Amino acid sequence: MNEVMLCTTNDLSENQLRPDFQNHYQTVISRFFNRDPEIWPVYQSQDIHNLIHHKESFSGSQQHYFHHQLKHRTDIPHNMCTDQRPFDPLALFVAHGCKDWQDPKAVENVISTPCDPAIQGATLATITNPNLVYKEYAGLATDLEQLVVRQIAQLAGYDPSQAGGLFTQGGTFCNLYGYLLGLRKTFPDSIVNGLQNKQLCMLNSESGHYSNMTNLTLLGLDMNHQVIRVHINEQNQICINDLRRRLEECYKQGIQVPTIMLTFGTTDTFAIDDIKQVCQLRDDVCRKYQITRKPHIHVDAAVGWSLLFFRHYDLNENPLSINQATLNSLNALKPLTEGIRYADSFTVDFQKWGYVPYTASLLMIKNKQDMEALKQDASYFTYFEHEVQKKTHLQSTIECSRGATGVFAAYSALQHMGIEGYQTIIAHGLQNANYMRAKLNEHPRCKVVCAENHGPSVVFRLYPEQALQNDDSTHLFRSEQHITEGHQSMDDLIQTTLYHRNHFNRRKGCYLKTNWVESIARTSYDKNDHCLYLPGEKAVFLNPYTSRADIDKFCAQF
Ligand SMILES: *Cc1c(COP(=O)(O)O)cnc(C)c1O
């Protein structure tokens, strides 16, 4: 039997860094995150070197001048520039004024800094400028796109010869495709006749990303009657029983469900829906109600997809010497990661936990035939040669022009770092997250929330001293979870939140730049199915440069 399965605690002793892991980590950092001009020619520019190493300083009057231009300038220069320098001074000033994602303190949200090979690879596309809309305008770049699609298909457990996919504008658009695929498969005539007189309802979960809602409004759905946000359990996963109830309710009323949108790693607490179970449930319910056009199951894996790199990691052999706490996490995550291959399509953001610059988002489809459902009338595409049109998804895409920087950058990152490089840098983040959870657990005033989700996000609430006189933070949190509106303990909840919020504001990103999140957990649903959301603080450990020393200093503030 697998011995790692028996361990469920997360104390500091299990979080020790192993020397062999540190060696792997140092190798990845020195090869792929070193910004070394000897290896990566983009960094040979003096301006870019200065940018990366914060070597430029601007005098007060320069700053004033640039800020004034940024706010007020309207003119385009009439004369051509005679200056031979490669970068415009204002553009450089702005580049220096961008948020520094290389800062080890940067643990805000699901944002990362790109790796060197991705940055370098992206330049191939910016120079050659292929347009993925059409084979004739892209040349071989569409083949590279399809190669990456096959690589991710294989990684996820899809059949690479059956799978399809395309790079698109952000995870939001990938999710939009998820809804659209469901609509067009369920109502093929809607591509011409629209959705009038269609009885339909989309299902997603209360902890889904907000792009769910922006996409559904974009599609013109009635948000009060054609969308159901399914309840979530205490770990913020979709509640299977509620999903079943909702799906059955729809079919009993003759309402079609085009898409069920699941999440693999929510943005705030990294909740992972049980995809396999949902797929089985869909099949069961459709059999029971004799539904032939089953809901399309799209998985928003914008953040979580990176765990696919661990699908075949041998947790017993543990070749990278990952520490015990994180082996336990990987072990817990493994069965859920297997779920992705049951989904009909999923969202991959290379730009998040894939260390690729914006934007590099990939829609993955299990059965490429599904794209046919999106195909528009050929007569709309008059200026493209008919035979060449078939070589891309031209007639099925939402966009027209599609850039290839994401394709080149993602391919280059995968090629250079390999599965092992990705495993190392992702494990570094997970080890940081587990370490921070263990450190916060030792603080009587902190309550770590959703630790069972094992992801890169550490989410917690902080309690004031006086609240802890009669109770510990775990019990306080438990009782907050059962508060109902109007109850007197609401006041305590608000006081705690204010206390934590003030503490957060006073620290102002000291040592780690954490985020404030309005909803890290919810209270029990009342008889009207309502609940309240509990706010808290989060740190997301995607950053390859964040170290234990940063976490130690941060935790010493409590
Ligand atoms: C970031 C994110 C999105 C949106 O992706 P963009 O690339 O920002 O458009 C969707 N879902 C989840 C879970 C995300 O974290």
Side-chain angles (χ1 to χ4, degrees):
M1 228 0 231
N2 190 337
E3 66 188 274
V4 291
M5 258 155 74
L6 302 173
C7 311
T8 51
T9 57
N10 178 20
D11 58 36
L12 281 170
S13 68
E14 295 187 338
N15 282 282
Q16 305 268 332
L17 281 175
R18 297 188 182 168
D20 283 348
F21 180 82
Q22 281 306 85
N23 290 337
H24 289 292
Y25 166 74
Q26 282 307 337
T27 306
V28 173
I29 289 291
S30 65
R31 289 204 193 143
F32 309 121
F33 290 92
N34 65 2
R35 308 332 190 193
D36 182 350
E38 297 291 320
I39 309 174
W40 315 104
V42 275
Y43 304 124
Q44 283 168 14
S45 150
Q46 189 61 45
D47 285 326
I48 289 182
H49 179 86
N50 291 351
L51 176 64
I52 288 167
H53 299 282
H54 310 287
K55 285 241 170 80
E56 207 82 67
S57 56
F58 298 89
S59 70
S61 65
Q62 275 175 316
Q63 293 188 31
H64 182 78
Y65 172 71
F66 286 136
H67 280 298
H68 190 268
Q69 291 212 340
L70 287 173
K71 289 251 151 44
H72 303 292
R73 193 171 130 195
T74 57
D75 67 298
I76 299 168
H78 179 77
N79 294 324
M80 292 184 274
C81 184
T82 51
D83 196 339
Q84 286 299 312
R85 288 176 300 176
F87 296 108
D88 170 78
L90 176 62
L92 266 184
F93 175 74
V94 171
H96 279 270
C98 290
K99 176 127 193 158
D100 180 12
W101 293 110
Q102 288 189 89
D103 182 349
K105 295 204 280 281
V107 293
E108 289 138 298
N109 225 328
V110 287
I111 301 178
S112 65
T113 188
C115 62
D116 297 317
I119 294 170
Q120 190 67 51
T123 61
L124 295 176
T126 56
I127 292 167
T128 53
N129 208 28
N131 186 338
L132 297 172
V133 64
Y134 181 49
K135 181 79 186 160
E136 187 77 16
Y137 305 161
L140 288 177
T142 47
D143 298 299
L144 190 63
E145 181 182 41
Q146 291 314 305
L147 166 55
V148 178
V149 167
R150 290 195 303 276
Q151 289 176 314
I152 300 302
Q154 173 136 325
L155 191 69
Y158 277 2
D159 175 351
S161 68
Q162 292 305 308
L166 57 102
F167 278 75
T168 186
Q169 176 51 50
T172 299
F173 265 45
C174 297
N175 292 346
L176 179 60
Y177 275 106
Y179 285 119
L180 203 57
L181 282 163
L183 278 177
R184 298 291 188 245
K185 283 165 65 183
T186 309
F187 305 112
D189 73 315
S190 69
I191 200 159
V192 176
N193 300 329
L195 296 168
Q196 258 180 343
N197 312 319
K198 303 278 195 255
Q199 291 262 66
L200 72 94
C201 187
M202 295 290 196
L203 301 184
N204 62 33
S205 98
E206 285 172 352
S207 61
H209 188 260
Y210 73 83
S211 61
N212 280 288
M213 305 324 267
T214 52
N215 281 330
L216 291 169
T217 55
L218 181 69
L219 290 168
L221 298 194
D222 175 340
M223 301 305 279
N224 292 317
H225 302 101
Q226 295 184 307
V227 179
I228 290 174
R229 306 208 82 182
V230 176
H231 282 346
I232 48 180
N233 65 20
E234 288 194 0
Q235 285 81 54
N236 296 329
Q237 296 171 293
I238 198 165
C239 170
I240 300 287
N241 289 337
D242 194 48
L243 177 63
R244 177 184 290 276
R245 176 173 73 92
R246 299 297 205 158
L247 192 59
E248 295 208 14
E249 266 172 19
C250 286
Y251 290 143
K252 275 180 200 153
Q253 297 172 57
I255 296 170
Q256 295 292 317
V257 176
T259 299
I260 299 173
M261 176 71 64
L262 302 179
T263 311
F264 188 94
T266 58
T267 317
D268 289 334
T269 61
F270 207 77
I272 298 178
D273 292 334
D274 190 334
I275 304 162
K276 185 177 177 187
Q277 212 185 349
V278 170
C279 292
Q280 282 169 350
L281 181 160
R282 168 194 63 179
D283 294 345
D284 282 354
V285 174
C286 286
R287 207 173 303 121
K288 180 167 166 192
Y289 292 89
Q290 298 177 345
I291 302 295
T292 46
R293 298 204 166 126
K294 293 185 201 171
H296 180 93
I297 295 184
H298 182 88
V299 174
D300 178 359
V303 201
W305 73 278
S306 303
L307 289 178
L308 290 170
F309 288 112
F310 288 98
R311 264 186 81 220
H312 299 299
Y313 187 77
D314 187 332
L315 295 171
N316 291 314
E317 287 288 318
N318 190 19
L320 294 176
S321 294
I322 294 168
N323 69 26
Q324 189 60 49
T326 299
L327 281 180
N328 296 346
S329 294
L330 290 171
N331 190 55
L333 292 164
K334 207 161 190 157
L336 290 167
T337 309
E338 253 345 273
I340 290 193
R341 67 194 174 89
Y342 296 94
D344 296 309
S345 56
F346 64 95
T347 295
V348 169
D349 266 0
F350 281 101
Q351 65 210 18
K352 286 176 177 162
W353 217 2
Y355 305 101
V356 170
Y358 292 109
T359 48
S361 299
L362 172 63
L363 164 72
M364 286 296 301
I365 302 171
K366 185 198 248 160
N367 181 354
K368 61 180 161 216
Q369 278 312 105
D370 280 1
M371 280 306 274
E372 294 292 305
L374 306 189
K375 225 170 187 170
Q376 300 282 351
D377 194 302
S379 69
Y380 301 164
F381 303 90
T382 49
Y383 61 76
F384 298 100
E385 292 270 0
H386 195 73
E387 274 311 299
V388 187
Q389 284 185 28
K390 293 180 187 156
K391 296 187 181 162
T392 62
H393 295 295
L394 173 69
Q395 291 177 31
S396 302
T397 52
I398 300 171
E399 297 137 296
C400 175
S401 294
R402 285 188 299 123
T405 54
V407 174
F408 277 90
Y411 172 77
S412 306
L414 291 168
Q415 197 64 19
H416 280 81
M417 293 218 287
I419 289 181
E420 196 186 31
Y422 269 108
Q423 286 171 341
T424 306
I425 214 69
I426 291 163
H428 170 74
L430 293 173
Q431 288 192 160
N432 273 344
N434 276 325
Y435 178 65
M436 177 150 159
R437 281 190 276 263
K439 293 232 31 161
L440 292 177
N441 272 341
E442 298 207 318
H443 274 280
R445 289 161 56 202
C446 290
K447 169 63 190 164
V448 177
V449 177
C450 288
E452 321 80 82
N453 290 351
H454 295 284
S457 329
V458 178
V459 188
F460 63 98
R461 264 171 83 73
L462 188 64
Y463 293 88
E465 206 68 68
Q466 66 268 25
L468 291 156
Q469 271 158 10
N470 309 316
D471 230 340
D472 66 28
S473 60
T474 297
H475 279 105
L476 282 171
F477 179 70
R478 278 258 152 242
S479 44
E480 285 177 334
Q481 286 180 299
H482 297 294
I483 285 177
T484 47
E485 207 149 7
H487 195 270
Q488 61 158 44
S489 45
M490 263 305 281
D491 292 342
D492 296 336
L493 189 151
I494 292 167
Q495 284 309 316
T496 294
T497 300
L498 275 177
Y499 168 80
H500 186 176
R501 174 77 201 189
N502 286 335
H503 202 280
F504 170 82
N505 286 342
R506 249 182 291 130
R507 283 181 272 120
K508 267 209 198 91
C510 208
Y511 305 119
L512 289 178
K513 296 176 186 168
T514 51
N515 277 149
W516 187 257
V517 179
E518 284 305 328
S519 154
I520 56 168
R522 60 163 180 80
T523 60
S524 315
Y525 295 107
D526 64 17
K527 57 182 185 305
N528 300 319
D529 261 359
H530 293 306
C531 64
L532 303 167
Y533 293 102
L534 305 179
E537 185 170 348
K538 82 166 174 179
V540 189
F541 291 97
L542 312 188
N543 191 331
Y545 303 110
T546 308
S547 71
R548 293 190 167 214
D550 301 306
I551 298 170
D552 287 338
K553 282 184 268 179
F554 177 83
C555 292
Q557 300 175 101
F558 296 107

